[in-house]
Amino acid sequence: MKECGEIRERLSAFIDDELPAPERKLIEDHLHKCPACAQEESSLRQIIDLMDGLTDESPSRSFIPAAVHRASAWKRCAYVKGHILIPVLTVLRSVFSVVSWQLQANAGRRRTPVDAYLRSFDDFPPESLSSVYISLIQGEST
Amino acid sequence: MDKSEWEIMAEVAKGELSAFRKIVEQYQKPLLNYIYRYTGDRAASEDIAQEVFLRVFRTAKEYVPLSSFKTWLFKIATNLCLNELRDNKIRRNTVDIFELNEAGFVALASTCFTPEKETEGRELSALLMRALNSLPEKQRVALLLHKYSGFSYGEIGQMMGCSMSAVESLIHRARQSLKKQLTPYL
């Protein structure tokens, strides 16, 4: 790693102390010999110093109470959902299932499929060809 | 992760508000400043920071201390900021200095820099904020996480899902870009 281009690519990692010792030593040696690369390193450090000067913002005084309040509100909602809403809905669903099953069973008892089939013949209008046919069949059977 | 922090998070997972308060007290300032420098929007940064802490409370049970708590927290913050910016909920303060012509540069410089050192510092900070906001997303995230939140290249790589050498490259390119934009004012 002797080329200036390669050295410059690694200058940020060098400044941030993110390089292994042997590579760090190589760059240090190069910077002592190469004024252009040393200048590049210096200008990068200037930018870092400038960034150091950026002042910190302080959160508003209501930040912590607001965060705790929001967490508390969410906790209450989660409690209502988990301990009240979901159990109540589960019970309601079970009740609805039982009731609807019961209604279907009662309806099944009142009208069997055979009854329903036979009653469908009552729906023919009087004097229609079908009703004459039905009456003929009935006459034959009696 | 620090053992005491891990214990605090276990309490947060049980819904302990006092433990949650400790987490907020400890991280409110670094988190707010990270979000502010990321988004460039002071008002929105407080709302996003609130949302980050609420997510910490809601998902505390899912937290596994494989990485540090701080890494987990800042990853949530980064994702939220990115979502907010993508949904255009935040108006980015992106005045690209490269977009100004020469006359614009002179005008900007003459209005920004007064003999008073304090004013000069303030204006330089404003220019720096603008320059930071003009960086590509990944470069900005990597640089901010390293510079202001004290994460190593390895930790940043873990957060961003890339290699250490990729992080190194992102940070270097970010500094090069800042250098180009700010050298006239140094």
Side-chain angles (χ1 to χ4, degrees), chain B residues 43-100:
Chain B
S45 58
E46 200 139 323
D47 292 341
I48 297 171
Q50 286 282 352
E51 188 57 34
V52 172
F53 282 120
L54 183 62
R55 283 201 187 187
V56 166
F57 188 76
R58 280 167 48 189
T59 56
K61 282 179 188 165
E62 294 165 25
Y63 171 69
V64 183
L66 291 175
S67 59
S68 77
F69 170 73
K70 194 180 167 189
T71 306
W72 186 63
L73 178 73
F74 277 73
K75 192 173 179 180
I76 295 174
T78 304
N79 288 338
L80 264 179
C81 287
L82 201 59
N83 289 344
E84 296 283 319
L85 289 169
R86 280 185 185 159
D87 295 347
N88 290 319
K89 287 179 191 163
I90 300 169
R91 196 165 53 82
R92 279 265 301 278
N93 187 15
T94 50
V95 176
D96 191 345
I97 296 174
F98 288 128
E99 285 172 6
L100 297 172

Side-chain angles (χ1 to χ4, degrees), chain A residues 90-108:
Chain A
T90 309
V91 168
L92 282 176
R93 194 178 158 194
S94 307
V95 168
F96 179 76
S97 301
V98 169
V99 168
S100 64
W101 176 80
Q102 193 66 43
L103 285 172
Q104 278 175 352
N106 287 343

Side-chain angles (χ1 to χ4, degrees), chain B residues 58-161:
Chain B
R58 280 167 48 189
T59 56
K61 282 179 188 165
E62 294 165 25
Y63 171 69
V64 183
L66 291 175
S67 59
S68 77
F69 170 73
K70 194 180 167 189
T71 306
W72 186 63
L73 178 73
F74 277 73
K75 192 173 179 180
I76 295 174
T78 304
N79 288 338
L80 264 179
C81 287
L82 201 59
N83 289 344
E84 296 283 319
L85 289 169
R86 280 185 185 159
D87 295 347
N88 290 319
K89 287 179 191 163
I90 300 169
R91 196 165 53 82
R92 279 265 301 278
N93 187 15
T94 50
V95 176
D96 191 345
I97 296 174
F98 288 128
E99 285 172 6
L100 297 172
N101 56 24
E102 201 178 335
F105 259 124
V106 174
L108 188 66
S110 63
T111 53
C112 287
F113 298 104
T114 63
E116 288 81 33
K117 281 279 176 194
E118 197 185 321
T119 312
E120 192 175 297
R122 260 205 310 271
E123 298 302 338
L124 207 52
S125 294
L127 278 172
L128 176 61
M129 279 297 286
R130 284 187 198 137
L132 280 173
N133 276 298
S134 73
L135 293 175
E137 285 309 331
K138 284 187 174 181
Q139 288 183 25
R140 189 163 74 249
V141 170
L143 185 66
L144 292 177
L145 286 173
H146 178 72
K147 179 68 196 161
Y148 297 112
S149 307
F151 287 105
S152 68
Y153 286 11
E155 288 169 321
I156 296 168
Q158 202 181 339
M159 264 190 256
M160 296 177 74

